[in-house]
Amino acid sequence: MKPFLLVAQREITTRVRKKSFLVMTLLGPVLFVGLMLAPALIAMSSETEDLNLIVVDHSYVLPGTPKVEGANLAYFDPKEVSEEQALELVRTREDVDGLLYVPESINSDPEFSLQNAKLYTEGTAPLGVASELESLLERFAYEGKLRHFGVDPAVVTKAKSEASVQAFELSDEGSEASGTEIKTAAGFFAGILIYMFTFLYAAQIMRGVIEEKTSRIVEVLVTTVKPAQLMLGKILGIATVGLLQFGIWIALTALAATAIGSMGLLSPDPEQVAALSAAGQAAPELSGIQSALGTLDSLNLPALIGMFVFYFLSGYLFYGALFAAVGAAVDSETDTQQFMLPLTLPLVLTFILATSIMENPHGPLAVALSMIPFSAPIAMMIRIPFGVPWYEVAASMSLMVLGFLGTVWIAGRIYRVGILSYGKKPTYADLWKWIRMKP
Amino acid sequence: MNALTATGLHKRYASHHALRGLDMEIPQGSLFGLLGPNGAGKTTFIRIANRILAPDEGRIELFGAPLGPDATKRIGYLPEERGLYKGMKVGEQAMYLAQLRGLSTSDAKQRLRAWFERWELQGWWDKKVSDLSKGMAQKVQFITTVLHEPELLIFDEPFSGFDPINAQLIREEMLRLNREGRTLIFSTHRMESVEELCSHIALINQGQNVLHGSIQELKDRHRSGQFVLRYRSEDPTSLNLPEGAELTDHRREAQGIVAARFRAEIDDASRLLAALAPQVNVYQFEEVVPSIHDLFVQTVQGA
């Protein structure tokens, strides 16, 4: 077998058999599914624990509303029950969890009592309950004022309208829904995947190189494998491991999501949606989902996936080679700091600028970032769902290929000298000498 | 034929000139000691011979042909700084290194099993390298160096870092491999290990080959006509010297032993001994031959 393939093979077999690989591979989907389920679980858990609250309302704003989200309300006559007596009840009675106290107004200012209402509970009050009570108070105060001005609140409600503006893109073939949100999400998600993959696995390349260097095995290796082959074998081996892990993550997460989805936890079930839309509440959201699905169809998935694979791999190669060079230049991981900054900065910066790219995907900043190989994988993936002219894509891809050939070459030169240099921590000037040095 | 021939090697690093026109001839079948102080250029030369580095100038030939990519299959190399992948299993690691040297899986496995048996490492095949003692790791390293049965073996400071028992084991292996016809090159900065082991040596100083040849040849070349006669007596007695000999030192050396030192013609030993033997009770007579260490000091200081 070719030495280069042997190197890659060793990287794959030793990494895949590690316990940490198994743990990470299985833990990943658990984490992702957990994140997806969290909103549903939180909603479910808050439904179960309604608080029983006593209400002592000196302002007489609240009428006898029996229930708000998360709490049952029991009204006491403020003339008969003082704040202290009510608190005593909360302390002694097991079936009473707390007290909502609205004080008397001072100088007959109705706003005072509204702004100084207190919620006492045994233990910490759930965040939602306080805000529910606030909006309850606000709503009744508002209606009270309307009545005071001689306006029927029902008239105001009827006068309200819901409007929804959908954006369409005009092109030669006609118009299509632009679905900005879903495009933003798709591009951003692809960008995040590239960012994560590059950091996770490029850092592994670096650590692998440092390990070979500190264990001194590298000197034996380079007698049989050219340094460049050793480096590329390592980069490709780790890429295979990474793709395998990512593949398992995506497959397991998708599987778990489908399973959970069929149990009706993730998407609202049709009957519920129908009931809600009949009530006239969820209609806008529903049409949002439908248009989102439409946008996904219009995104030209094969092209999108093709682009993703290209930028995913070329970005990893581009950064992987540089991380390998950093590993070769230093003696231990603690020494990597000074060389890591110029590598992590462009990645992080592109992410910070992601919002600007999404707001103006065809602006000069977005175009420039999608041309520079340091930022192109992320910037371009964010832009692509918005439609990028073919010549820009071609230019960006060509620059990306040139970019990773360049970094592989430079990294190879640094690697070659670095792996056999011990002791003194090199400076940037040293690295420059190494690059120009004959082998 | 020479196993390795180097002519006019130059190697410059960023801040220093490591090899300055180094010439080297290593005869096939020799056990060749590469001597020199630290920083003389030994490791640089060894790395060039292993194609880890390329010389800036000069030529290097392996068995009469320019050193090419397939040289690695004919050379076994044990670097000064040795190490293995700590997290890998011993057997797997050895298999990996053997395959990198071009052995097939089945050959590698068969030979490794034999070596592991010979050095009583059988139980360690599936253990992690980090579980090995330092001595055992060194044995494994040595095995991986010689496993592909190369014609030329290069050891950089083979005895540094080995414990005395393993150093002896390695020494015996080196002699055995040499008897089997392999050429061995090893570098050292310790002169005493050289004379008992080597057939040939070269002294490297400041990137140049300042002295080289077979041990016998070198010693013959550096004979100085110094002789010492030790005889049994409590005090120095007056001696009648033959013509051309000159007494340089004469003193009691130990209980009942007196040493007399002479300078004479180089091939005068027989005549000198014949003249002196009847005069005293001879305990020992020898020509003072410079040690390799002396030669080295002389050569370096003379330069």
Side-chain angles (χ1 to χ4, degrees):
Chain A
M1 205 189 297
K2 288 228 162 64
F4 160 76
L5 290 177
L6 272 169
V7 172
Q9 191 195 37
R10 194 202 77 88
E11 292 297 334
I12 297 166
T13 47
T14 53
R15 278 165 203 280
V16 166
R17 275 183 314 193
K18 271 189 194 158
K19 271 195 207 92
S20 55
F21 177 81
L22 191 72
V23 172
M24 279 296 288
T25 307
L26 295 182
L27 219 59
V30 172
L31 202 73
F32 297 144
V33 170
L35 280 176
M36 285 195 286
L37 277 182
L41 287 178
I42 288 166
M44 272 165 68
S45 67
S46 62
E47 268 168 33
T48 53
E49 297 168 28
D50 276 1
L51 291 176
N52 291 314
L53 299 179
I54 300 173
V55 181
V56 177
D57 177 16
H58 285 284
S59 68
Y60 297 97
V61 169
L62 296 174
T65 314
K67 186 157 168 47
V68 295
E69 187 83 34
N72 298 311
L73 307 179
Y75 291 83
F76 281 64
D77 189 342
K79 288 192 190 95
E80 284 168 22
V81 183
S82 71
E83 192 175 355
E84 287 73 28
Q85 284 170 321
L87 283 174
E88 192 55 35
L89 268 176
V90 174
R91 285 197 198 93
T92 49
R93 291 280 296 267
E94 288 227 345
D95 55 347
V96 177
D97 301 316
L99 162 70
L100 171 66
Y101 181 77
V102 186
E104 268 179 283
S105 57
I106 293 173
N107 303 332
S108 64
D109 173 13
E111 301 300 319
F112 177 85
S113 52
L114 290 176
Q115 280 164 12
N116 289 284
K118 297 172 201 164
L119 175 66
Y120 299 96
T121 50
E122 293 178 304
T124 314
L127 212 62
V129 171
S131 63
E132 277 299 325
L133 291 171
E134 270 168 18
S135 55
L136 186 75
L137 281 168
E138 278 166 13
R139 197 171 88 230
F140 283 111
Y142 173 70
E143 284 178 9
K145 278 185 193 166
L146 285 179
R147 277 196 204 90
H148 178 75
F149 294 127
V151 181
D152 182 358
V155 173
V156 176
T157 313
K158 273 183 192 158
K160 270 188 188 162
S161 321
E162 290 275 356
S164 162
V165 176
Q166 272 180 280
F168 288 86
E169 273 169 40
L170 273 178
S171 66
D172 294 342
E173 290 110 58
S175 68
E176 56 174 323
S178 65
T180 307
E181 293 91 349
I182 201 78
K183 285 182 178 178
T184 309
F188 196 65
F189 183 66
I192 284 187
L193 279 185
I194 290 177
Y195 179 83
M196 265 176 56
F197 189 85
T198 305
F199 261 129
L200 270 178
Y201 297 100
Q204 283 199 23
I205 298 175
M206 188 183 75
R207 275 197 291 275
V209 174
I210 292 175
E211 188 211 341
E212 276 171 4
K213 207 180 153 182
T214 49
S215 75
R216 311 276 172 154
I217 189 154
V218 72
E219 188 155 353
V220 176
L221 296 180
V222 290
T223 58
T224 48
V225 193
K226 276 197 177 144
Q229 289 191 342
L230 187 61
M231 186 181 87
L232 281 177
K234 188 173 265 304
I235 291 175
L236 291 191
I238 292 177
T240 314
V241 175
L243 287 174
L244 181 71
Q245 192 164 44
F246 256 59
I248 297 174
W249 277 348
I250 290 170
L252 282 184
T253 308
L255 211 69
T258 332
I260 292 164
S262 68
M263 293 186 320
L265 276 176
L266 273 184
S267 49
D269 69 86
E271 278 176 41
Q272 215 178 331
V273 172
L276 280 172
S277 64
Q281 283 184 8
E285 285 164 40
L286 192 70
S287 68
I289 292 169
Q290 277 163 349
S291 78
L293 290 174
T295 311
L296 267 187
D297 286 340
S298 77
L299 272 182
N300 189 2
L301 275 179
L304 192 68
I305 291 171
M307 298 270 215
F308 175 69
V309 169
F310 174 83
Y311 281 105
F312 190 78
L313 290 181
S314 59
Y316 165 81
L317 275 176
F318 181 88
Y319 277 102
L322 290 175
F323 274 72
V326 171
V330 301
D331 283 357
S332 71
E333 214 171 327
T334 44
D335 290 346
T336 56
Q337 304 292 351
Q338 58 163 339
F339 299 121
M340 288 291 283
L341 190 68
L343 299 190
T344 50
L345 203 64
L347 271 179
V348 174
L349 210 63
T350 317
F351 236 90
I352 294 171
L353 292 173
T355 359
S356 325
I357 299 172
M358 286 184 284
E359 277 167 7
N360 190 3
H362 303 295
L365 176 75
V367 174
L369 286 176
S370 60
M371 291 298 150
I372 303 166
F374 276 99
S375 52
I378 295 172
M380 202 50 148
M381 280 324 292
I382 295 174
R383 287 186 63 206
I384 279 171
F386 295 95
V388 179
W390 67 268
Y391 52 87
E392 276 188 28
V393 175
S396 165
M397 282 186 161
S398 315
L399 284 173
M400 203 61 221
V401 171
L402 285 180
F404 81 67
L405 289 179
T407 59
V408 166
W409 185 82
I410 287 175
R413 310 278 287 190
I414 294 177
Y415 188 85
R416 189 190 55 165
V417 184
I419 45 175
L420 297 171
S421 309
Y422 294 98
K424 195 174 149 274
K425 207 163 95 175
T427 60
Y428 280 105
D430 291 330
L431 294 189
W432 179 237
K433 271 185 204 153
W434 292 359
I435 291 170
R436 291 185 310 164
M437 200 188 282
K438 269 185 64 180
Chain B
M1 187 169 56
N2 285 332
L4 205 65
T5 315
T7 22
L9 292 185
H10 277 271
K11 182 70 192 176
R12 289 172 198 87
Y13 292 123
S15 56
H16 99 134
H17 197 158
L19 296 185
R20 304 159 184 253
L22 181 89
D23 298 318
M24 190 70 69
E25 284 188 17
I26 295 169
Q28 191 166 10
S30 61
L31 209 171
F32 199 98
L34 212 52
L35 313 181
N38 289 326
K42 298 186 299 276
T43 297
T44 300
F45 170 67
I46 285 177
R47 283 178 173 174
I48 289 174
N50 277 297
R51 288 174 41 89
I52 296 172
L53 297 174
D56 297 336
E57 283 168 49
R59 281 156 43 81
I60 183 155
E61 287 180 355
L62 180 74
F63 298 108
L67 193 67
D70 17 316
T72 56
K73 294 189 175 66
R74 307 177 76 178
I75 300 178
Y77 173 45
L78 186 69
E80 179 179 7
E81 300 282 0
R82 295 175 277 267
L84 297 165
Y85 288 110
K86 289 191 179 60
M88 243 178 137
K89 285 179 185 164
V90 177
E92 240 171 55
Q93 165 103 61
M95 287 290 292
Y96 174 59
L97 292 172
Q99 282 173 292
L100 279 180
R101 287 280 183 187
L103 282 184
S104 71
T105 318
S106 56
D107 272 2
K109 190 163 266 173
Q110 199 186 333
R111 290 187 198 180
L112 277 172
R113 294 279 182 206
W115 270 99
F116 272 49
E117 210 166 298
R118 215 172 119 211
W119 277 1
E120 289 163 3
L121 291 164
Q122 303 100 313
W124 295 89
W125 186 276
D126 279 323
K127 295 267 165 56
K128 274 192 179 175
V129 170
S130 52
D131 296 337
L132 291 179
S133 72
K134 205 177 169 209
M136 278 192 283
Q138 288 167 341
K139 280 182 180 176
V140 173
Q141 271 152 13
F142 187 86
I143 293 172
T144 59
T145 308
V146 300
L147 194 75
H148 58 296
E149 300 181 348
E151 298 150 83
L152 173 65
L153 285 155
I154 305 178
F155 302 147
D156 197 357
E157 298 279 354
F159 304 116
S160 79
F162 275 95
D163 61 64
I165 296 170
N166 278 327
Q168 184 56 31
L169 189 72
I170 299 304
R171 191 186 301 268
E172 280 161 21
E173 278 305 320
M174 285 169 69
L175 287 168
R176 187 184 66 83
L177 288 163
N178 187 234
R179 275 197 305 276
E180 282 180 2
R182 314 278 165 71
T183 309
L184 269 81
I185 305 173
F186 76 97
S187 78
T188 182
H189 63 276
R190 287 165 50 200
M191 308 298 163
E192 63 274 13
S193 57
V194 167
E195 274 174 80
E196 39 180 309
L197 210 57
C198 296
S199 63
H200 294 70
I201 60 158
L203 289 184
I204 299 184
N205 192 42
Q206 295 181 345
Q208 284 176 323
N209 185 346
V210 291
L211 190 71
H212 61 102
S214 78
I215 295 249
Q216 198 52 51
E217 205 180 287
L218 285 174
K219 288 198 167 179
D220 283 353
R221 206 194 303 162
H222 290 84
R223 286 161 79 184
S224 55
Q226 307 257 7
F227 299 90
V228 58
L229 170 76
R230 292 189 177 84
Y231 58 93
R232 294 189 188 279
S233 168
E234 283 309 317
D235 293 299
T237 55
S238 73
L239 296 168
N240 273 327
L241 298 182
E243 201 170 324
E246 181 196 340
L247 189 69
T248 54
D249 189 40
H250 200 184
R251 68 173 76 176
R252 207 182 96 153
E253 213 173 53
Q255 185 78 40
I257 302 286
V258 176
R261 287 167 198 277
F262 306 91
R263 183 172 293 127
E265 288 296 308
I266 282 173
D267 283 321
D268 237 8
S270 302
R271 203 167 62 89
L272 196 57
L273 182 60
L276 291 168
Q279 301 179 38
V280 289
N281 181 5
V282 176
Y283 171 67
Q284 193 183 45
F285 177 78
E286 66 177 356
E287 183 179 348
V288 179
V289 181
S291 70
I292 295 297
H293 183 258
D294 296 336
L295 284 185
F296 179 67
V297 173
Q298 266 177 38
T299 314
V300 171
Q301 283 173 348

